[in-house]
Amino acid sequence: MVLAFWIFASTMKILREIQMKGKQSDAIFHQIESSIQLNNFVKPILPFPNTRNWVSSPDFLAVIVKNVLLKRPKVIVELGSGVSSLYGGYLLKQHHIEGKLYSVDHEIDYTKKAINLVKDHQLNDFVEVLHCPLVRQNINDHSWTWYDIDNIKLNEIDFLIIDGPPTNEVYNARYPAIPMFYKYLDSGAIILVDDYDRKGETEMVKKWLAEYPDLVFVEKLYTEKGTAVLMKK
């Protein structure tokens, strides 16, 4: 009886490990598939940095690419610079979209790296990387540490990508994005929220929807970290 139970338990453990490896393989395949698809829409003049070391996953980048091509936005703002800045710039340039991408980053070193990447890829006319350090500020009667955007003059944003700041130490650290940018969002503006599967981001989106009646939840996309798609009426 003991031996039979041991064999049963061992077999179940092996099956769970096989199932887990299968899920991991599927996830890896999905990211590779997304990377291959991305190459169909941009033709870079230089290699891109590895997306595994930069924030955006290939499937989230694919969502950005799809929305830029379909919506052809004139003003794109992304919170968090990186490979997405390059994809956005190439899309605007190579698909003849009359727009500009403003990439916001709080860390000076990452800002400099992003600026150099944009310059090396000859995308300066389409991408502007902005250093906006994190500062304490009062937003909706609460104190937050968020980007200092006082010197950014943006109007009629029609595509907002929320992938920063980091949330390692601060719960709901990305909540200020909508309160700070809402008045600049054009009617019909699309908002992408990365990391939506995290509890903080899920609660953050619910809070936005309750506070801003003109904000509509469009759909959840099952990307690596989860993506919420919102729209302003």
Side-chain angles (χ1 to χ4, degrees):
M1 180 68 69
V2 174
L3 179 61
F5 179 79
W6 179 85
I7 292 174
F8 174 77
S10 298
T11 302
M12 293 302 296
K13 180 180 179 181
I14 292 170
L15 289 174
R16 283 195 296 268
E17 289 176 351
I18 291 173
Q19 185 180 29
M20 184 60 68
K21 289 180 180 178
K23 290 180 179 178
Q24 291 173 345
S25 297
D26 288 345
I28 292 170
F29 178 80
H30 178 64
Q31 297 306 322
I32 293 173
E33 187 177 43
S34 296
S35 297
I36 293 172
Q37 291 178 351
L38 288 169
N39 292 331
N40 293 326
F41 299 102
V42 299
K43 304 300 179 185
I45 60 175
L46 294 171
F48 281 1
N50 192 326
T51 56
R52 297 291 82 186
N53 296 325
W54 289 56
V55 176
S56 297
S57 301
D59 56 0
F60 182 66
L61 290 170
V63 175
I64 293 175
V65 168
K66 177 182 176 180
N67 277 275
V68 172
L69 291 176
L70 287 177
K71 305 297 182 181
R72 301 183 73 83
K74 293 184 178 181
V75 179
I76 306 170
V77 174
E78 65 166 354
L79 304 180
S81 64
V83 175
S84 55
S85 311
L86 299 181
Y87 274 105
Y90 272 114
L91 288 169
L92 296 175
K93 182 178 182 178
Q94 297 179 345
H95 292 268
H96 309 290
I97 300 172
E98 295 181 2
K100 189 159 187 175
L101 186 154
Y102 298 88
S103 182
V104 173
D105 210 301
H106 69 287
E107 291 191 359
I108 188 63
D109 289 340
Y110 278 103
T111 302
K112 290 178 179 178
K113 287 180 182 178
I115 289 173
N116 288 333
L117 277 172
V118 169
K119 180 180 179 182
D120 291 342
H121 285 264
Q122 300 177 17
L123 297 172
N124 291 77
D125 292 339
F126 304 91
V127 180
E128 184 175 350
V129 182
L130 304 166
H131 178 232
C132 298
L134 300 179
V135 297
R136 297 298 296 180
Q137 46 192 311
N138 189 277
I139 301 170
N140 288 354
D141 298 324
H142 291 280
S143 180
W144 298 87
T145 300
W146 206 71
Y147 300 108
D148 181 4
I149 61 169
D150 287 345
N151 294 324
I152 303 179
K153 299 186 184 300
L154 299 173
N155 288 302
E156 299 181 342
I157 299 170
D158 40 17
F159 191 22
L160 176 62
I161 304 166
I162 302 173
D163 199 15
T167 60
N168 298 336
E169 300 178 0
V170 181
Y171 190 70
N172 272 357
R174 299 176 180 178
Y175 165 80
I178 293 301
M180 295 298 286
F181 281 108
Y182 190 78
K183 63 182 179 181
Y184 301 114
L185 292 172
D186 199 7
S187 177
I190 296 295
I191 302 103
L192 294 186
V193 181
D194 196 18
D195 301 298
Y196 181 63
D197 284 343
R198 291 194 301 217
K199 183 179 178 181
E201 272 71 4
T202 302
E203 292 182 356
M204 172 186 77
V205 169
K206 289 181 180 178
K207 188 173 176 62
W208 287 342
L209 294 172
E211 295 174 347
Y212 297 90
D214 286 342
L215 208 58
V216 178
F217 188 90
V218 178
E219 62 179 330
K220 173 185 176 179
L221 300 175
Y222 292 89
T223 55
E224 182 178 35
K225 304 169 190 174
T227 300
V229 183
L230 310 177
M231 183 184 72
K232 182 182 179 184
K233 292 181 182 178

